Amino acid sequence: MASHFIADIIENDLATGKHPTIRTRFPPEPNGYLHIGHAKSICMNFGLAAKYGGTCNLRFDDTNPTKEEEEYVASIREDVRWLGFDWEEREYYASDYFEQLYLWAEQLIEAGKAYVDDLSVEEIREHRGPWNAPGRESPYRNRTVAENLDLFRRMRAGEFPDGSRVLRAKIDMAAGNVNLRDPVMYRILHATHHRTGDAWCIYPMYDWAHGQSDSIEKITHSICTLEFEDHRPLYDWFVRELGIWPPRQIEFARLNLTHTVMSKRKLLRLVEEKVVAGWDDPRLPTIAGLRRRGYPPAAIRDFAERIGVTKQEGTVELALLEHCVREELNRVAARRMAVLRPLRLTIVDWPEGEFEELAAINNPEDETAGTRPVRFGRDLWIERDDFLEEPPKKYFRLAPGREVRLRWGYVVKCVEVVKDAAGEVVEVRCTHDPATKGGGTPDGRRVQGTIHWVAAADAVDAEVRLYNPLFAAADPDDVPDGVDWITLVDPGSLEILAGCKVEPALATAAPGDRIQFERTGYFTADLADHTPERPVFNRTVTLRDSWAKEQKKAG
RNA sequence: UGGGGCGUCGCCAAGUGGUAAGGCACGAGACUUUGGAUCUCGCAUUCGGAGGUUCGAAUCCUCCCGCCCCAACCA
């Protein structure tokens, strides 16, 4: 694991003996699905614990019953596990600490450090004051300890309606850091909690719950994102006033990625308005989406490693993530041939009904992957893109009178082009060179082009889903005035191809299998819809395409 | 406007007073039965700007500029 400023802090704490061992935690709120930004945090927290021989807890920060659901808890568990991390028996919930938190609140009240406030939300906001001027104290700020205790207990007992009162810490209404202007600790919420049910009608605020939860778990390094930097003085204040184990909060910059959105609010909207098919839509940066897209967890871990950990807010280019995915897949994915947009090719000098079995290498990067048999015959399917009646310069695929190698098969020469009434090419007719079986050229002749194909007799029809970035623009958060960001979703982000012709070996793929379609890209058998009877493949990422680049240059 | 952070190549990111790592992207070439992979080479005389300290500064000091976060009974 790469070194970075947080690792430096940990190494120093270990070296000076401040901590004999470290404890970290990943603390998601179960109010949505995890995304690649969370993956960065997961990899760091679990990675750091592993690197330094410590432990990392999974803790659900479930202090807001109105937004949290069991479905999200389940998805988070699944995603963290899928990423390759194990929290063993250390699965905790902030809601497990509600009673302790309540007791601590009474302790603060007794110490004169907290009070029940009857001001409304608006009044509290108004009393908090603007940034550049001190706030005003609430008229309820100086209630007696006895009165506060009585009121707080009755709040818990359910005597008051939602929003009628809150418990506040008594700190400093003039503080430059607004978080210290008597922050709210508890609000009244008659809502059913996904785990505690109706046991409570007062719920702790994040600030009041988070640090103490860390403390209870004896977290040594509490890592969070930059926006909580302002909360650290409050985090420390609570821990100090309570006299409990002091974790150290350290902030780092959250991950931003080009061509996608990462905010929970926006992801939720994409899902709710059905702009995408669900939380696991392969176009989403959610872990579930990336999984369904075919991204290997190892690639995501590698990516998390490469982007580093700093306090600089930046936006990582999608290209780096895709690079990590290709690098991993290149190593492990089996190669298969699949024709996405089929064009008929007939070997006119090949006898009808006769076939020859050829050996195709499964993975040139992995000798142990071996070979598989593919049948060659008179009637084949090739890619429409691999034939051009009028080939441009540097195009070395099939064209009238030209030779091309059929991968693992023979070198063939185009002798005739068949068109339909509309003038569209519907079939290419070729002769084959019997001396080139397997693709070699015994006479030493150079055949630049090699194209993939599938024998018509063996071809299995498949649906192939081509994915592109959800947004064509690098920064979809940068929207012109008056434009709803959601209208920037690229309608071309999903293209569904039916009737693709794939090798029979592909129909037997299991959902989740990752395969390279030679010359096209990496694909995965869809987790939800793929069956042997009706194969469905998702494009994970394209292969690098220097021909496309060449064309772009040519204009 | 008060508080808190951050500014090193197109994008990430090392660097912590000794003379600008690395990755991605990009460009050129080699090799190639995937226009894939692989390999080689190129890619910041300069670190937001201006001064200053020093034999020596991205690193120290001063001033300035820019960007981000904070005024939920969200997290």
Side-chain angles (χ1 to χ4, degrees):
Chain A
M1 187 180 193
S3 183
H4 48 72
F5 81 103
I6 297 178
D8 290 345
I9 289 171
I10 290 172
E11 281 179 24
N12 187 57
D13 288 348
L14 254 15
T16 61
K18 178 178 178 187
H19 300 297
T21 180
I22 64 160
R23 269 169 249 105
T24 58
R25 104 266 92 118
F26 172 62
E29 181 190 12
N31 69 341
Y33 278 61
L34 260 24
H35 55 64
I36 186 138
H38 294 107
K40 175 182 180 183
S41 176
I42 292 165
C43 290
M44 172 165 43
N45 278 297
F46 280 93
L48 248 14
K51 179 177 181 182
Y52 297 105
T55 52
C56 179
N57 300 345
L58 173 62
R59 181 175 72 236
F60 292 95
D61 223 331
D62 55 351
T63 56
N64 187 350
T66 66
K67 290 186 177 168
E68 296 145 9
E69 294 172 24
E70 206 51 43
E71 177 199 348
Y72 297 131
V73 171
S75 75
I76 289 167
R77 278 200 206 101
E78 181 185 5
D79 290 347
V80 175
R81 216 177 281 130
W82 179 77
L83 274 173
F85 299 102
D86 184 6
W87 57 96
E88 299 176 306
E89 78 294 347
R90 300 180 310 281
E91 178 171 311
Y92 304 126
Y93 294 79
S95 54
D96 289 342
Y97 310 139
F98 281 176
E99 189 60 38
Q100 175 63 265
L101 255 12
Y102 174 83
L103 260 19
W104 275 331
E106 286 206 349
Q107 183 183 324
L108 242 42
I109 291 172
E110 277 161 7
K113 303 281 188 171
Y115 63 97
V116 172
D117 197 347
D118 299 356
L119 255 29
S120 66
V121 200
E122 301 74 37
E123 289 168 325
I124 287 180
R125 184 191 309 122
E126 194 243 316
H127 280 243
R128 191 151 29 224
W131 285 318
N132 56 353
R136 279 157 41 230
E137 297 186 352
S138 163
Y140 304 97
R141 197 173 198 261
N142 293 310
R143 294 219 248 227
T144 63
V145 167
E147 190 182 358
N148 282 137
L149 223 38
D150 172 61
L151 252 18
F152 185 49
R153 286 175 180 162
R154 289 164 62 194
M155 275 170 66
R156 174 179 184 171
E159 289 188 28
F160 312 118
D162 288 3
S164 57
R165 287 179 227 266
V166 293
L167 182 72
R168 291 228 258 169
K170 191 191 278 193
I171 307 182
D172 178 10
M173 289 308 291
N177 180 346
V178 197
N179 291 124
L180 264 18
R181 322 246 263 223
D182 290 9
V184 172
M185 294 164 63
Y186 276 96
R187 74 282 215 185
I188 300 173
L189 233 41
H190 289 268
T192 301
H193 186 277
H194 72 107
R195 296 190 78 236
T196 60
D198 296 319
W200 294 86
C201 61
I202 55 171
Y203 289 93
M205 298 292 292
Y206 165 85
D207 285 307
W208 172 245
H210 202 83
Q212 288 86 282
S213 296
D214 283 340
S215 181
I216 289 168
E217 295 175 21
K218 296 279 192 294
I219 298 304
T220 54
H221 303 270
S222 174
I223 302 165
C224 63
T225 42
L226 253 27
E227 68 269 27
F228 293 103
E229 210 150 16
D230 288 341
H231 295 240
R232 193 173 59 224
L234 177 54
Y235 181 109
D236 292 340
W237 190 88
F238 282 137
V239 165
R240 199 181 329 112
E241 291 299 325
L242 257 18
I244 56 179
W245 164 274
R248 201 237 268 212
Q249 175 178 303
I250 303 166
E251 311 83 14
F252 73 99
R254 63 166 358 113
L255 167 68
N256 293 301
L257 245 197
T258 60
H259 303 285
T260 192
V261 289
M262 213 79 100
S263 89
K264 276 193 180 176
R265 213 192 84 247
K266 290 187 175 177
L267 292 174
L268 184 63
R269 191 171 159 212
L270 286 167
V271 172
E272 286 186 336
E273 295 185 13
K274 302 199 186 316
V275 173
V276 296
W279 284 104
D280 66 346
D281 187 295
R283 290 168 292 180
L284 256 22
T286 52
I287 306 295
L290 299 179
R291 175 169 55 234
R292 196 164 171 194
R293 177 80 173 253
Y295 279 31
I300 296 172
R301 279 184 248 120
D302 179 40
F303 173 71
E305 193 75 30
R306 294 201 200 207
I307 56 177
V309 177
T310 68
K311 299 191 69 153
Q312 245 139 245
E313 308 172 68
T315 303
V316 178
E317 289 175 342
L318 215 214
L320 177 59
L321 213 208
E322 294 191 331
H323 168 81
C324 294
V325 171
R326 288 193 187 101
E327 193 172 72
E328 171 68 15
L329 258 16
N330 176 50
R331 218 171 28 236
V332 305
R335 273 62 169 172
R336 293 289 183 267
M337 293 197 282
V339 174
L340 270 29
R341 297 174 174 88
L343 173 63
R344 192 132 225 154
L345 183 144
T346 306
I347 314 285
V348 295
D349 54 355
W350 192 280
E352 213 143 340
E354 263 184 43
F355 296 93
E356 204 164 79
E357 203 162 87
L358 277 358
I361 290 174
N362 285 326
N363 184 350
E365 304 297 316
D366 177 10
E367 281 183 27
T368 67
T371 62
R372 70 184 181 287
V374 290
R375 283 170 91 210
F376 189 88
R378 179 183 170 93
D379 299 308
L380 312 174
W381 292 111
I382 64 167
E383 206 72 62
R384 288 209 94 89
D385 281 357
D386 288 339
F387 174 82
L388 237 37
E389 248 194 311
E390 290 168 34
K393 280 187 181 52
K394 291 186 182 170
Y395 179 88
F396 33 82
R397 275 114 96 152
L398 205 54
R402 298 235 296 222
E403 267 193 337
V404 78
R405 172 168 35 241
L406 294 175
R407 182 80 156 155
W408 313 123
Y410 287 86
V411 171
V412 298
K413 182 178 190 170
C414 173
V415 294
E416 192 188 347
V417 178
V418 182
K419 297 180 185 180
D420 63 11
E424 202 192 332
V425 178
V426 292
E427 182 188 348
V428 176
R429 298 169 76 85
C430 297
T431 55
H432 79 292
D433 176 352
T436 59
K437 177 176 177 179
T441 47
D443 61 357
R445 148 178 54 126
R446 259 192 85 132
V447 177
Q448 270 268 52
T450 300
I451 66 175
H452 58 278
W453 54 277
V454 174
D458 294 335
V460 173
D461 274 23
E463 174 177 315
V464 172
R465 299 169 183 172
L466 266 20
Y467 292 102
N468 286 308
L470 231 206
F471 298 90
D475 182 9
D477 289 321
D478 180 29
V479 185
D481 281 345
V483 174
D484 184 356
W485 64 272
I486 213 156
T487 63
L488 263 43
V489 167
D490 183 1
S493 55
L494 167 60
E495 185 182 355
I496 299 175
L497 262 27
C500 302
K501 307 293 184 183
V502 307
E503 275 188 46
L506 277 171
T508 62
D513 279 358
R514 304 183 184 96
I515 301 122
Q516 182 194 106
F517 287 3
E518 292 220 31
R519 302 207 312 130
T520 307
Y522 293 99
F523 292 75
T524 185
D526 189 70
L527 251 7
D529 303 332
H530 176 87
T531 62
E533 298 73 38
R534 188 176 170 282
V536 178
F537 296 96
N538 298 329
R539 183 170 69 195
T540 306
V541 64
T542 59
L543 245 29
R544 288 188 65 206
D545 188 349
S546 52
W547 168 240
K549 202 174 281 183
E550 191 71 39
Q551 289 176 106
K552 203 173 282 179
K553 253 191 296 178

